[in-house]
């Protein structure tokens, strides 16, 4: 009867490993937990210079609001500063970038993976060089034509640039996933009467679906967390969440702005946790599949 690796390890070693994991989880989760807790306090407590116990017990929060917790930060961010508009803009930009990037990436990655031509290699190298360039240098090149065409400040401009920035990454990642799928699957499907595109859609895509989900999640995160592109290409009315949060902390400080920013940060971070938890199996299987060829 086989014995697990954990059972073969000495008990003191298991205890050390367990304590280290617990310590690491607490260390990693503490900043977010502290931010969530502080978002329900007033600024005098969360940024108290007297004692950090004020942030725990809400001494000044009780004095100002009559309770240990308050939702003033969320009300101020979502209602007074209309953070909900930034949330809607972010949803439009991220979904559009993800769908367009995956559509072009799957078609291009499949074509390059199945092509026997040498130009496929140089296309991938060119994409890699383009991906390695700083985003800010790429964004500056779009400003003049966008101004001349009078399309600066609207959501499609940022979508176009984010797709251009993200496409080399999706192309490389999906190309590696397609290489891990044997060509025999394509050939068998075409022998059964499928065209090349039907074999791609009905046979190959279902097999590499975890890889598509993984690539799509990274594309989503790039657009979701982007600051440089959206802050330069979007007007104040069309800002996404990250530039909007930055605007709360502008050069002119107003009462409550800091707590508006804290509440907005929590509001923007929670969906990411839910998204990763929901797709965790596909992410793990997708990353694993990309490392195995044949």
């Amino acid at each position: 009867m086989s014995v697990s690796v954990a059972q073969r390890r000495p008990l003191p070693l298991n205890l050390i490993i367990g304590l280290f994991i617990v310590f690491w989880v607490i260390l990693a989760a503490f900043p977010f937990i502290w931010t969530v807790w502080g978002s329900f306090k007033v600024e005098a407590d969360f940024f108290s210079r007297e004692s950090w116990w004020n942030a725990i017990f809400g001494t000044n929060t009780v004095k100002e609001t009559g309770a240990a917790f308050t939702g003033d930060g969320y009300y101020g961010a979502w209602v007074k500063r209309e953070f909900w508009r930034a949330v809607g803009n972010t949803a439009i930009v991220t979904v559009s970038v993800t769908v367009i990037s995956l559509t072009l990436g799957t078609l291009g990655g499949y074509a390059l993976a199945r092509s026997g031509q040498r130009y496929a290699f140089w296309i991938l190298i060119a994409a890699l060089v383009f991906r390695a360039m700083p985003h800010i240098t790429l964004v500056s090149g779009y400003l003049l034509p966008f101004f001349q065409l009078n399309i600066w400040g609207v959501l499609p401009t940022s979508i176009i640039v984010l797709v251009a920035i993200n496409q080399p990454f999706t192309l490389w990642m999906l190309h590696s996933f397609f290489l891990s799928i044997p060509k025999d699957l394509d050939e068998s499907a075409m022998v059964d009467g499928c065209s090349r595109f039907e074999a791609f859609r009905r046979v190959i895509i279902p097999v590499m679906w975890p890889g598509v989900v993984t690539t799509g999640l990274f594309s989503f995160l790039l657009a979701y967390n982007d600051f440089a592109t959206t802050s330069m290409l979007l007007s104040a009315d069309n800002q996404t969440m990250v530039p909007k949060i930055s605007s709360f902390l502008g050069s002119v400080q107003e009462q409550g702005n800091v707590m508006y920013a804290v509440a907005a940060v929590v509001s923007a971070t929670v969906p990411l946790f839910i998204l990763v938890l929901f797709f965790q199996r596909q992410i793990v299987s997708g990353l694993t599949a990309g490392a195995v060829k044949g």
Side-chain angles (χ1 to χ4, degrees), residues 84-157:
W84 59 271
R85 293 183 183 274
V87 174
N89 292 334
T90 301
I92 295 172
V93 170
T94 52
V95 171
S96 300
V97 170
T98 303
V99 171
I100 297 173
S101 297
L102 283 182
T103 301
L104 298 178
T106 51
L107 294 173
Y110 177 74
L112 293 174
R114 293 297 185 260
S115 175
Q117 302 297 325
R118 186 167 179 79
Y119 65 77
F121 169 78
W122 292 109
I123 291 176
L124 291 172
I125 293 298
L128 184 62
V129 172
F130 186 79
R131 183 67 179 85
M133 296 176 63
H135 294 178
I136 197 67
T137 61
L138 300 174
V139 174
S140 59
Y142 289 93
L143 288 176
L144 181 59
F146 284 162
F147 279 127
Q148 292 176 338
L149 296 173
N150 198 27
I151 58 173
W152 177 90
V154 295
L155 297 180
T157 59

Side-chain angles (χ1 to χ4, degrees), residues 41-96:
K41 306 294 182 181
V42 297
E43 183 176 344
D45 279 334
F46 190 49
F47 296 97
S48 175
R49 296 182 180 181
E50 298 175 1
S51 173
W52 59 274
W53 287 105
N54 290 342
I56 296 178
F57 296 110
T59 305
N60 295 289
T61 305
V62 174
K63 293 179 181 178
E64 295 183 22
T65 66
F69 297 93
T70 177
D72 290 348
Y74 291 92
Y75 179 81
W78 284 82
V79 180
K80 292 183 179 180
R81 298 297 298 272
E82 297 184 334
F83 188 68
W84 59 271
R85 293 183 183 274
V87 174
N89 292 334
T90 301
I92 295 172
V93 170
T94 52
V95 171
S96 300

